[in-house]
Amino acid sequence: MSESSADASDSSNFIRDMIDADLAANRVSTVVTRFPPEPNGYLHIGHAKSICLNFGIARDYGGYCNLRFDDTNPEKEEQEYIDSIRRDVEWLGFEWHGNPFASDYFDQLYGFAIDLIKQGKAYVDSQNAEEIRAGRGTLKTPGEDGPYRNRSVAENLQLFEAMRNDEFDDGEHVLRAKIDMQSPNINMRDPVLYRIRHVTHHNTGDKWCIYPLYDFTHGLSDAIEGVTHSLCTLEFEDHRPLYDWILDNLETPSRPRQTEFARLQLEFSLTSKRKLNALVSEGHVSGWDDPRMLTISGMRRRGFTPESIVNFCDMIGVTKKDSTIEMGVLETALRDDLNARAVRRMAVINPLKVVIENYPADREEVFKGANHPQNPDYGTREIPFAREIYIERDDFMEDAPRKFFRLSPGREVRLRFAYYITCQRVIKNPDGEIESLICTYDPESRGGSSPDGRKVKGTIHWVSARHAVDATVNLYDRLFTVPNPGAAADLHRVLNPDSRVVMDNAKFEAAIELTDNPLAYQFERLGYFVSDYDSTVERPIFNRTMTLRDSWAKIGQAQ
Ligand code: ATP
Ligand code: MG
């Protein structure tokens, strides 16, 4: 599985062109990349784009990619997230070279900070956060040099050491780079490099009470690891001058380059861990792996295959310009992959009983059905048939229009694989609700055609009542009602109330295998399904991964 999924992306893009040029000019010999998540949440579909890019490039150029945990915010990081990130990257089919933490480099980073101080390029600022913010100016106005900017090297060294040695409270001092308070780029106005935080860190425990900031840590971590191409999303473009300044002013083991690409934005979804976290903690979904969430773990539970996600990333490509991808692109990638691999079965999710009155009560027969229409390697299965069957309630209409080609009183329909049946009577309960149908079958039509050549337009699926397995099916739809939920002021106002419908009276054709890596099924006419983690042999629970066609597109056309 991992090989085929990782083989998919070989399309060219501007980053690959740049790497080709670097290799041709001997600026680089081994291509080294990294995927640097902050372990403060689960990975989502946006991260998949970055994973496919970074790991895909390393693989295709015979180099390597590190999975680096960017763990400089001690407050928000948890082991659960670390474990889930590793699992997701592996599941997508990629192998990392190293799996370091940025916090592994805290000693080296501290040394680099001392070096900057000694060069007169960093200083301890004793203003509070508010004063620092005010002194930095705005996008329109320049900043101002603060009162501590010209402290001596000796005083800075002594204060920074005291910061490290736990002599101050949070916020009393920070270490700042000494660059240019008047720079048009606000990131260059003496950015903070270290702050005091009395917090236990998941990796370094209580060893440190000062923590380096992202911008200081990131480029230096790249340099320590020998990363050649540091690929990040466009919001870091304005940080590149700082990335370069830090590396240009320090003796580092290597000199990486940062290149930016557009973030994935996908309609009807959120790609911000903070907002996904809110959905989880406010209980709008069942967890990070709720099948409606476009987290990697949610998608896995929903029945996405790693190949479908890698193919999707390949389809959307890598560009320098932000754009929003339509949900249909992801759905197409998924359907294409599932169509090729899903095992075919029949299932009825909203059953209506049909009694075939001229079929002997004690008789049973078995039809053979292909497990996959195009792939004979999948073999066939036996489908039992008897006098009582279930059909889908939607496949019957009492007062049907002329063009309704399914079942209605007096009309004939083909049962997939089996016989033609004609509806004779409708049985109702005292409330007038339809309870069952009485039908007759044509014994001559075995296998689905009649010797007299009469035409039957509609074919419906069914399940033998006596043999059916009771099951629950979760039908999922988009979690949000608007294409850009991230822009909504109040997330719960744009949640789709019908995003999950539980059908707990479903009937399956046969027992379902339960494995760690559940099989993808296509229930004919209904869509693609996968068994949920909570499924048991006694009570199968299935998630609908996707319908067969894009019902949203059809609705759009009809309007
Ligand atoms: P979030 O706001 O969800 O926390 P982030 O960018 O802060 O997102 P990180 O854990 O820092 O999340 O991301 C790790 C890597 O994944 C980064 O290199 C980041 O640029 C990339 N990444 C995150 N979101 C996307 C996205 N939507 N499209 C492409 N790459 C992304
Ligand atoms: Mg981040």
Short mmCIF file of all heavy atoms in Angstrom, two decimals, residues 51 83 98 197 259 292 294-295 341 368 460 463 468 514:
data_model
loop_
_atom_site.label_atom_id
_atom_site.label_comp_id
_atom_site.label_asym_id
_atom_site.label_seq_id
_atom_site.Cartn_x
_atom_site.Cartn_y
_atom_site.Cartn_z
N ILE A 51 2.92 17.41 3.17
CA ILE A 51 3.56 16.09 3.31
C ILE A 51 3.90 15.52 1.94
O ILE A 51 5.02 15.07 1.69
CB ILE A 51 2.63 15.13 4.10
CG1 ILE A 51 2.50 15.59 5.55
CG2 ILE A 51 3.12 13.69 4.01
CD1 ILE A 51 1.42 14.87 6.34
N ASP A 83 1.79 11.32 18.59
CA ASP A 83 1.48 9.97 18.12
C ASP A 83 0.60 10.00 16.87
O ASP A 83 0.81 9.24 15.93
CB ASP A 83 0.75 9.17 19.22
CG ASP A 83 1.64 8.96 20.45
OD1 ASP A 83 2.88 9.07 20.31
OD2 ASP A 83 1.10 8.70 21.54
N GLY A 98 14.78 11.27 9.66
CA GLY A 98 14.87 11.49 11.10
C GLY A 98 13.54 12.00 11.62
O GLY A 98 12.69 12.45 10.84
N ARG A 197 9.24 31.60 30.03
CA ARG A 197 7.98 30.87 30.25
C ARG A 197 8.24 29.79 31.28
O ARG A 197 8.97 28.85 31.01
CB ARG A 197 7.52 30.15 28.98
CG ARG A 197 6.81 30.98 27.97
CD ARG A 197 5.31 31.03 28.23
NE ARG A 197 4.66 31.77 27.17
CZ ARG A 197 4.81 33.07 26.97
NH1 ARG A 197 5.58 33.77 27.76
NH2 ARG A 197 4.19 33.68 25.99
N THR A 259 11.53 28.51 0.57
CA THR A 259 10.68 28.80 -0.59
C THR A 259 9.23 28.61 -0.18
O THR A 259 8.90 27.64 0.52
CB THR A 259 11.00 27.84 -1.76
OG1 THR A 259 12.40 27.90 -2.01
CG2 THR A 259 10.24 28.22 -3.02
N ARG A 292 -16.62 13.25 9.62
CA ARG A 292 -16.95 14.46 8.85
C ARG A 292 -15.81 15.46 8.83
O ARG A 292 -15.85 16.46 8.12
CB ARG A 292 -18.19 15.14 9.45
CG ARG A 292 -19.45 14.32 9.28
CD ARG A 292 -20.54 14.83 10.18
NE ARG A 292 -20.20 14.65 11.59
CZ ARG A 292 -20.97 14.99 12.60
NH1 ARG A 292 -22.14 15.54 12.35
NH2 ARG A 292 -20.59 14.79 13.84
N LEU A 294 -12.17 16.88 8.01
CA LEU A 294 -11.13 16.63 7.00
C LEU A 294 -9.76 16.61 7.65
O LEU A 294 -8.79 17.17 7.13
CB LEU A 294 -11.24 17.64 5.86
CG LEU A 294 -12.42 17.33 4.94
CD1 LEU A 294 -12.59 18.42 3.90
CD2 LEU A 294 -12.29 15.98 4.27
N THR A 295 -9.70 15.98 8.82
CA THR A 295 -8.40 15.62 9.38
C THR A 295 -7.99 14.31 8.71
O THR A 295 -8.85 13.56 8.22
CB THR A 295 -8.50 15.37 10.89
OG1 THR A 295 -9.57 14.44 11.12
CG2 THR A 295 -8.79 16.66 11.65
N ARG A 341 -11.16 -0.09 -6.49
CA ARG A 341 -10.81 -1.09 -5.48
C ARG A 341 -11.98 -1.67 -4.68
O ARG A 341 -11.83 -2.71 -4.03
CB ARG A 341 -9.76 -0.54 -4.52
CG ARG A 341 -10.27 0.49 -3.53
CD ARG A 341 -9.22 0.86 -2.51
NE ARG A 341 -8.14 1.64 -3.11
CZ ARG A 341 -6.86 1.34 -3.03
NH1 ARG A 341 -6.46 0.27 -2.40
NH2 ARG A 341 -5.95 2.11 -3.59
N LYS A 368 -25.07 -15.87 -8.41
CA LYS A 368 -23.64 -15.51 -8.34
C LYS A 368 -23.48 -14.06 -8.77
O LYS A 368 -24.04 -13.63 -9.77
CB LYS A 368 -22.84 -16.40 -9.29
CG LYS A 368 -22.28 -17.63 -8.61
CD LYS A 368 -21.04 -18.11 -9.35
CE LYS A 368 -20.27 -19.18 -8.60
NZ LYS A 368 -20.84 -19.86 -7.52
N ILE A 460 -33.50 -2.73 -9.46
CA ILE A 460 -33.28 -2.29 -8.08
C ILE A 460 -32.50 -3.35 -7.30
O ILE A 460 -32.48 -4.52 -7.69
CB ILE A 460 -34.62 -1.95 -7.36
CG1 ILE A 460 -35.50 -3.19 -7.24
CG2 ILE A 460 -35.35 -0.82 -8.09
CD1 ILE A 460 -36.76 -2.95 -6.39
N VAL A 463 -32.15 -7.44 -0.67
CA VAL A 463 -31.44 -8.35 0.22
C VAL A 463 -32.44 -9.38 0.72
O VAL A 463 -33.57 -9.02 1.08
CB VAL A 463 -30.83 -7.56 1.41
CG1 VAL A 463 -30.38 -8.49 2.51
CG2 VAL A 463 -29.67 -6.70 0.95
N ALA A 468 -30.43 -11.74 5.72
CA ALA A 468 -29.84 -10.40 5.91
C ALA A 468 -29.14 -10.26 7.26
O ALA A 468 -29.54 -10.86 8.25
CB ALA A 468 -30.94 -9.35 5.80
N LEU A 514 -14.22 -8.07 9.42
CA LEU A 514 -13.66 -6.99 10.23
C LEU A 514 -12.15 -7.15 10.25
O LEU A 514 -11.64 -8.16 10.73
CB LEU A 514 -14.19 -7.06 11.65
CG LEU A 514 -15.62 -6.59 11.86
CD1 LEU A 514 -16.03 -6.79 13.30
CD2 LEU A 514 -15.76 -5.12 11.48
#
